Amino acid sequence: MMDLATMALAGGTMMGLGVAAGWVLGWASRIFHVEVDPRIERVNAVLPGANCGGCGCTGCQLYAEAVVAGRIGPDKCTVGGPSVAQAIAEILGVELGETWPFRPIVHCRAHTGDKLQMGNYSGESTCAAANLVNGVQGCTYGCLGFGDCERACEYDAIHVVDGLATVDYEKCTGCGACARVCPRNIITMVPFKRERMLAVACSNKDFGKDVRAVCKVGCLGCKACSKASGLFIVTDNLARVDYDHYDPEHFVGVDVAIEKCPAQGILYVGKPEKRDLEKLGDIEPPKLVEANFRTTVDRTDWQG
Ligand code: SF4
Ligand code: SF4
């Protein structure tokens, strides 16, 4: 049986150890203390909490940390848009340059009846799977219509309609999930500087006659648009809009270009909020996010 002296010794030892441990912990917390910038919490509080990755970070908290650390700009939250960018700029005490909402453009306008269907694909009903094999449809660039983008969109803002991915700009928040998931890279995220933006709705880089063989509405690369207006550039047999110079000065001849396009492939798309229109001016648009159009189809025939 433990006598009183032993118990007192044990108790004293425990107390001494406790005091020593407390002192060590206190010392360590002072030495290794990392100051957390309180602005991170404030920035996080004004973010929408979508954790969509549209800003390039893997969540709103990481974006808040990055923006406070100065590694990324305050206007990169595509879901929050200009109002959130302004709120972040105020927290950081910085001037916010002019910003526009980014919205997706689908560079294809071929509905089911417009494109050559090969008809013998019976694999998994996803664009990612279908894109890996040849023989699903004639055009190896355009929309496959299996709806990977539709499933990726958390805002019910893009749907496959008659074989073609179609954006609902009233619902779209510009998170970019559709663009990231499309295996054909035909969705670009474009700064919407106007209520409706011009787009060349094609991504096929083949020669005109090859395009015509697989699609009724594909770009032929004929240059009728670029001859009519400086807003269009044709490279690799494919026309595109020069969004870097999307201002009134460069709109001369656009109507002629639209009319002369034999594929009728130049469209106006989109409908952002009115407050975005108030920001129109002579200011340079933000950096364009552009897809790298290329066919990624394995030419090996589908064997079923
Ligand atoms: S359509 Fe959906 S997934 Fe694509 S940018 Fe808009 S909200 Fe995001
Ligand atoms: S846009 Fe891309 S992801 Fe969406 S249905 Fe077409 S091919 Fe699939």
Side-chain angles (χ1 to χ4, degrees):
M1 193 165 165
M2 200 181 283
D3 60 25
L4 276 175
T6 308
M7 286 173 67
L9 181 62
T13 306
M14 292 298 288
M15 192 180 298
L17 284 173
V19 169
W23 184 86
V24 169
L25 287 174
W27 173 81
S29 74
R30 278 197 305 279
I31 293 297
F32 297 111
H33 176 69
V34 177
E35 199 68 52
V36 177
D37 192 324
R39 293 177 303 170
I40 293 174
E41 199 174 319
R42 290 176 61 205
V43 169
N44 205 7
V46 300
L47 293 172
N51 292 312
C52 64
C55 58
C57 303
T58 50
C60 295
Q61 170 71 28
L62 289 182
Y63 175 61
E65 290 173 16
V67 83
V68 169
R71 295 195 301 272
I72 192 169
D75 58 347
K76 297 294 178 278
C77 176
T78 50
V79 175
S83 61
V84 164
Q86 184 59 43
I88 295 172
E90 282 169 19
I91 291 169
L92 300 181
V94 297
E95 285 291 319
L96 187 67
E98 207 62 31
T99 61
W100 287 273
F102 277 67
R103 295 291 181 264
I105 288 179
V106 179
H107 293 268
C108 180
R109 77 177 194 95
H111 290 97
T112 305
D114 298 320
K115 49 192 170 186
L116 177 68
Q117 306 281 355
M118 309 297 269
N120 60 351
Y121 175 70
S122 57
E124 190 185 329
S125 286
T126 66
C127 306
N131 188 49
L132 295 175
V133 294
N134 199 17
V136 179
Q137 66 182 27
C139 177
T140 58
Y141 294 82
C143 180
L144 285 156
F146 288 101
D148 289 14
C149 51
E150 183 175 323
R151 286 183 289 278
C153 178
E154 293 185 17
Y155 302 92
D156 191 34
I158 185 165
H159 299 97
V160 175
V161 179
D162 189 16
L164 176 65
T166 308
V167 179
D168 178 345
Y169 289 97
E170 297 283 0
K171 291 182 177 174
C172 176
T173 63
C175 72
C178 54
R180 288 193 293 278
V181 82
C182 175
R184 294 214 151 176
N185 300 303
I186 59 168
I187 304 178
T188 56
M189 297 301 294
V190 173
F192 268 54
K193 203 182 170 190
R194 299 285 189 278
E195 182 173 316
R196 294 177 69 72
M197 294 287 286
L198 270 174
V200 175
C202 183
S203 50
N204 194 318
K205 290 181 172 176
D206 292 340
F207 288 115
K209 71 174 178 43
D210 296 328
V211 174
R212 216 13 117 241
V214 296
C215 181
K216 292 179 186 166
V217 294
C219 172
L220 305 175
C222 66
K223 299 189 177 171
C225 54
S226 60
K227 283 176 195 154
S229 168
L231 199 62
F232 299 93
I233 300 167
V234 179
T235 44
D236 297 334
N237 309 307
L238 179 64
R240 65 181 172 85
V241 175
D242 181 0
Y243 292 112
D244 286 337
H245 298 98
Y246 207 86
D247 50 49
E249 190 186 327
H250 289 82
F251 263 71
V252 178
V254 162
D255 289 347
V256 178
I258 293 172
E259 195 188 314
K260 292 218 162 174
C261 172
Q264 300 292 292
I266 302 170
L267 316 170
Y268 279 100
V269 298
K271 191 180 184 315
E273 298 162 6
K274 276 201 170 134
R275 62 184 176 181
D276 301 315
L277 300 177
E278 290 163 9
K279 300 192 169 183
L280 299 182
D282 300 320
I283 305 129
E284 282 294 314
K287 194 168 179 291
L288 175 69
V289 176
E290 201 166 2
N292 176 17
F293 297 140
R294 68 194 189 285
T295 179
T296 49
V297 171
D298 181 341
R299 299 280 176 173
T300 311
D301 278 342
W302 165 248
Q303 298 299 320

